[in-house]
Amino acid sequence: MGPSETTKSYSTPAHGGQTSPGLATPLRFLKGVGPRRAELLAKKGLETVADALLFVPLRHEDRTRLTPLRSLVPGQAQTCSAEIVGLSPPPPGRPRVPFSVMLRDASGYGTASWFKGGYLARVLKRGQRLILHGKVTRYKGTVQLQHPEFEIVEGDDDEQLHAGRLVPVYSSTEGLAQRPLRALMWTLVETFARGVPDVLPEAVRARRRLVPLAEALLGAHFPPSEAALVAARRRLAFDDFLLLQLGLAILRSRTARERGIAMAPPGDLVAQLRASLPYTLTGAQERVWGEIRRDMAAPDPMQRLLQGDVGSGKTVVAGLAVLTAIEAGYQAAVMAPTEILAEQHYMTFRQILGPLGVSVTLLTSSLKGRDRAARRGAVATGEHACVVGTHALVQEAVEFRRLGLVVVDEQHRFGVAQRARLRAKGEHPDLLVMTATPIPRTLALTLYGDLDVSVLDELPPGRRPIRTVARTESKRREIYAFLKDQIREGRQAYVVYPLVEESEAVDLKAATDMARHLQAEVFADLTVGLMHGRLAFEEKDAIMRRFKAGEIHVLVSTTVIEVGIDVPNASVMLIEHAERFGLSQLHQLRGRVGRGPWKSYAILLHAPHPSEEARRRIDVMVETNDGFRVAEVDLQLRGPGDFFGTRQSGLPEFRSADLLRDAAVLEEARQEAQAIVAADPELLAAPHRGLRRELLERWRGKLALATAG
Ligand code: ADP
Ligand code: MG
């Protein structure tokens, strides 16, 4: 069966059979693929020809200029071509010794070595010619490639493809070597790229000076020049971004057309809260509150993101919004991603709103039976004006009497789909999303393109930068002495333990043992408290109250204190196993100190040889207190997928765009998306039909465009 015969029956429904012939063909039906290779390709997510065309290379190697062995420069990643003249596998029983080969080319000799390279004995042979790419070091006087990627050059290979040009290097998988994969890609690109329909409106393409799609596909895989590669990437990235931004713009324009609630009460409760605060709001808080108040007063539903570094004072701003909704006769819901965070928010909101006569309740799934039913009932009748809970508040069938405002903390885990569900509840409540992970502005547009953004870019006055140091075990005694000094001066301390889910029990035991040890042997004349997620809410609440009241001097805790704890008198935080924490987590934790007028400290105690990435994280923490900088490095280290949690958020994945590399294209795509949606909100005009089809496919069910057309 040839590819063309199978086409019709396999075109995907989303394409509605309108794709050019061939693109929906399963790869296994192509000549030279076969079931086994098809299975390997499927592992890479490649099922059809269309998938494969968008399987862009990881990188390209410039093999117009292979480096002679003699000219390899230590410290750089380079590519060379050489013959194997000797092999030295690790001796039997010593698997830790690297597998090395001796290499020769016309210029001289070199070596290559691989750790855990035992399997190479079956792969490499004397006399083979290899193309190698990797980091060069100098070892005992000779140049050495360390753990290079390599390809075995076979006599019958088409060298036009694998050498003398910018050669694509794909993410491969065991059993699927680089060369046959490249040869397959070449065939696919040559056969099908020119037939891919270009759905980008011609006017946009011309305005943004983008190459046609066929040219971009050819150039992304087998670019004739560096410039062609750059142009190709730009075009493909633009498409990815445009489809994302179009979806967000459509969601947004729909919300704007919905009728929401206009809430503009006289402001008595707000005035009371202001009067009760021991401080005045910062300029940034006033500005942001102004933005929120305007949104709430307007009849269309607020869709606002509030970004602010830890300690910038988001809570009180959210409190003002909650009071405004309540004074207008509505209820407000405050949602957090986890139960622990919900409990913490409950403590905070009860504390600031309770004295004003506002009834605040907590709804989590750990509440059971009658209590839960009673609380739900009181929410449904409107007896409770403010409800704090987890994101499950949206999912579950919790009923409100009149829900007017929803405040969501920690945007990352609250995705587009949840927002849509929320909008469906009641009378289109206003939405305020808060995030303590500040994100570079251009990047915020990708995930939050359907939200307005407010930024608290000013810390309350009198804050002093927290001094952060990195230490190892050998300094433990001095660290304890320092904590004692701080406590003697009247301050309090946190000692934080990581809690990794897989070994929760073990970690919990470590924290418990530590608390006992500290109480018995280190701080015998002081009071040590222990706080962790397994405690009942009342116990946590009691411990927090005692810590706040100064009755507990040292609070040993698992990461449950990450967000929301606010004890200005605490001036020092010791973080154990700092190498195990993520960067944003470290920054959040550190934000628990430095909240009072005293000089504050964060001590990162780490294992002697942390991984390179852990080292980077710790270094950044020591270097800066700036949350924006921390977020940037975090993004670099984790990569956008993980950083944004795009999978959870329900946004379509990028196929070839790289948020870091292509950030400049993003803004262009956003402008075009807004212009398109402004002119044609459901993409029904002829030039937009292709985009509409593509969009439906990428966003799967999440966008449900009006089905006409
Ligand atoms: P965030 O949630 O943004 O991390 P919080 O809302 O917990 O920060 O506020 C941090 C601390 O700053 C709290 O102790 C809060 O009472 C205090 N705070 C908030 N706004 C101000 C202000 N304008 N002046 C002084 N202190 C403030
Ligand atoms: Mg907070």
Side-chain angles (χ1 to χ4, degrees):
M1 215 193 277
S4 52
E5 290 160 68
T6 65
T7 307
K8 284 194 188 73
S9 49
Y10 283 95
S11 60
T12 59
H15 281 103
Q18 293 176 57
T19 320
S20 79
L23 289 181
T25 309
L27 292 168
R28 66 178 182 284
F29 291 133
L30 297 185
K31 221 164 81 196
V33 176
R36 207 187 84 81
R37 191 170 281 176
E39 219 170 279
L40 292 168
L41 290 166
K43 265 201 213 162
K44 295 257 119 199
L46 309 181
E47 307 271 0
T48 64
V49 169
D51 293 339
L53 290 178
L54 285 167
F55 181 59
V56 296
L58 289 176
R59 59 187 171 82
H60 286 81
E61 261 172 42
D62 186 353
R63 294 192 186 163
T64 54
R65 274 163 297 174
L66 293 173
T67 311
L69 290 175
R70 254 180 72 132
S71 315
L72 289 175
V73 180
Q76 294 187 3
Q78 284 170 308
T79 311
C80 58
S81 164
E83 184 190 336
I84 299 181
V85 292
L87 296 147
S88 32
R94 301 194 50 200
R96 279 167 189 246
V97 175
F99 188 107
S100 317
V101 299
M102 174 71 88
L103 301 166
R104 180 180 65 195
D105 72 359
S107 74
Y109 291 88
T111 59
S113 71
W114 293 266
F115 283 99
K116 296 191 190 146
Y119 72 98
L120 291 170
R122 283 176 279 123
V123 179
L124 299 179
K125 293 181 186 60
R126 193 189 300 234
Q128 276 171 337
R129 202 155 71 73
L130 302 180
I131 290 180
L132 304 111
H133 176 88
K135 178 129 185 231
V136 180
T137 55
R138 187 170 289 280
Y139 181 71
K140 291 187 181 162
T142 55
V143 286
Q144 186 176 72
L145 286 153
Q146 275 200 339
H147 229 286
E149 290 170 33
F150 68 90
E151 289 174 29
I152 302 164
V153 179
E154 310 275 0
D156 58 354
D157 277 343
D158 177 358
E159 282 312 302
Q160 306 277 21
L161 220 55
H162 308 291
R165 60 180 304 146
L166 284 170
V167 175
V169 177
Y170 295 93
S171 154
S172 70
T173 181
E174 191 162 353
L176 194 62
Q178 205 53 242
R179 292 203 154 215
L181 181 55
R182 187 178 299 135
L184 172 66
M185 290 306 301
W186 170 260
T187 311
L188 288 174
V189 170
E190 278 292 296
T191 315
F192 295 102
R194 285 178 195 83
V196 181
D198 195 340
V199 301
L200 188 65
E202 184 54 33
V204 176
R205 198 180 68 71
R207 186 161 48 238
R208 298 295 169 179
R209 295 173 196 282
L210 296 161
V211 296
L213 184 58
E215 191 179 326
L217 290 170
L218 292 166
H221 291 276
F222 297 93
S225 66
E226 192 68 42
L229 177 60
V230 171
R233 281 185 179 152
R234 191 173 120 75
R235 166 62 207 262
L236 296 183
F238 186 90
D239 285 15
D240 267 340
F241 290 144
L242 183 71
L243 287 166
L244 175 73
Q245 296 296 332
L246 272 177
L248 292 171
I250 288 170
L251 287 176
R252 202 197 152 86
S253 83
R254 286 184 188 163
T255 322
R257 280 177 278 149
E258 279 162 1
R259 262 206 87 67
I261 314 161
M263 293 183 278
D268 296 341
L269 284 174
V270 163
Q272 284 177 40
L273 177 59
R274 280 177 182 270
S276 76
L277 295 173
Y279 51 78
T280 55
L281 297 185
T282 63
Q285 283 169 319
E286 289 290 2
R287 191 190 66 236
V288 167
W289 167 233
E291 291 163 358
I292 294 170
R293 198 183 43 208
R294 260 196 305 284
D295 282 1
M296 291 183 75
D300 29 44
M302 170 165 76
Q303 297 282 303
R304 189 166 284 280
L305 175 75
L306 170 53
Q307 286 193 31
D309 206 346
V310 256
S312 60
K314 293 184 290 297
T315 316
V316 66
V317 175
L320 295 172
V322 166
L323 287 175
T324 300
I326 292 172
E327 193 180 324
Y330 289 87
Q331 288 166 296
V334 178
M335 306 199 299
T338 64
E339 296 229 335
I340 294 162
L341 294 182
E343 288 171 357
Q344 287 175 3
H345 278 307
Y346 172 59
M347 294 180 211
T348 314
F349 278 88
R350 196 185 47 186
Q351 189 200 333
I352 59 176
L353 305 183
L356 306 180
V358 171
S359 155
V360 184
T361 194
L362 174 71
L363 262 187
T364 62
S365 48
S366 61
L367 285 168
K368 294 281 180 278
R370 243 191 263 152
D371 186 17
R372 180 180 164 97
R375 290 194 199 197
R376 278 183 168 224
V379 172
T381 60
E383 197 180 313
H384 293 306
C386 177
V387 184
V388 183
T390 59
H391 291 173
L393 274 183
V394 221
Q395 264 111 11
E396 290 175 19
V398 176
E399 275 185 49
F400 292 85
R401 196 176 72 85
R402 278 186 103 187
L403 183 60
L405 170 73
V406 176
V407 178
V408 180
D409 195 10
E410 254 297 299
Q411 163 65 12
H412 282 189
R413 291 178 245 185
F414 192 73
V416 167
Q418 281 139 312
R419 269 184 251 153
R421 209 171 292 139
L422 181 63
R423 264 173 227 138
K425 249 188 201 285
E427 307 168 66
H428 305 298
D430 281 347
L431 175 65
L432 178 66
V433 178
M434 305 196 290
T435 173
T437 310
I439 288 159
R441 187 169 166 86
T442 45
L443 298 180
L445 295 175
T446 24
L447 198 59
Y448 312 133
D450 59 335
L451 302 177
D452 296 305
V453 179
S454 291
V455 185
L456 281 181
D457 49 9
E458 178 187 353
L459 291 178
R463 294 280 169 79
R464 294 212 257 158
I466 299 157
R467 180 169 147 73
T468 305
V469 296
R471 296 282 182 265
T472 52
E473 196 55 40
S474 61
K475 289 282 189 299
R476 186 176 288 278
R477 279 172 54 171
E478 284 144 69
I479 294 170
Y480 287 157
F482 179 72
L483 262 57
K484 277 185 198 163
D485 284 346
Q486 288 285 303
I487 294 164
R488 201 172 301 128
E489 286 174 25
R491 304 285 78 73
Q492 289 161 283
Y494 294 103
V495 177
V496 182
Y497 266 84
L499 192 62
V500 203
E501 244 160 79
E502 303 92 280
S503 57
E504 201 183 345
V506 179
D507 291 319
L508 198 52
K509 182 167 184 311
T512 312
D513 290 349
M514 191 59 173
R516 204 173 295 136
H517 164 74
L518 290 177
Q519 179 68 83
E521 277 141 70
V522 184
F523 304 111
D525 49 343
L526 301 169
T527 307
V528 177
L530 172 66
M531 169 96 150
H532 59 76
R534 293 273 183 90
L535 296 175
F537 173 73
E538 289 73 24
E539 294 172 280
K540 278 182 244 172
D541 194 32
I543 291 171
M544 276 325 300
R545 282 168 190 273
R546 288 178 61 209
F547 190 58
K548 222 166 178 157
E551 292 162 26
I552 290 173
H553 303 105
V554 179
L555 184 62
V556 177
S557 167
T558 55
T559 44
V560 298
I561 61 156
E562 195 179 325
V563 179
I565 298 270
D566 186 32
V567 179
N569 191 49
S571 64
V572 49
M573 173 175 286
L574 166 61
I575 301 180
E576 300 266 357
H577 301 290
E579 75 280 357
R580 292 201 212 156
F581 291 88
L583 193 44
S584 76
Q585 216 181 1
L586 285 172
H587 184 65
Q588 296 296 321
L589 280 169
R590 174 171 63 179
R592 300 307 110 200
V593 296
R595 296 183 161 231
W598 303 281
K599 177 120 195 74
S600 295
Y601 306 85
I603 304 165
L604 309 182
L605 196 63
H606 62 85
H609 303 291
S611 72
E612 200 176 310
E613 246 195 73
R615 185 77 249 175
R616 273 291 302 281
R617 294 196 292 264
I618 293 169
D619 287 349
V620 173
M621 288 294 293
V622 171
E623 212 175 276
T624 184
N625 276 295
D626 178 359
F628 279 86
R629 172 82 191 119
V630 168
E632 238 166 52
V633 176
D634 197 24
L635 176 62
Q636 274 166 17
L637 289 176
R638 281 160 63 190
D642 188 25
F643 181 86
F644 286 110
T646 34
R647 226 157 280 122
Q648 296 144 292
S649 72
L651 294 176
E653 302 265 340
F654 296 139
R655 291 182 175 166
S656 50
D658 176 331
L659 266 179
L660 294 173
R661 189 190 61 202
D662 304 319
V665 188
L666 176 60
E667 182 55 33
E668 293 188 56
R670 195 175 74 101
Q671 289 168 5
E672 293 296 342
Q674 284 176 340
I676 290 172
V677 172
D680 181 13
E682 300 287 323
L683 307 183
L684 294 170
H688 301 149
R689 290 283 171 90
L691 280 176
R692 179 189 158 87
R693 241 182 359 253
E694 196 69 30
L695 202 63
L696 282 169
E697 186 185 318
R698 289 256 189 134
W699 283 70
R700 302 269 151 68
K702 287 173 213 93
L703 215 58
L705 288 173
T707 39

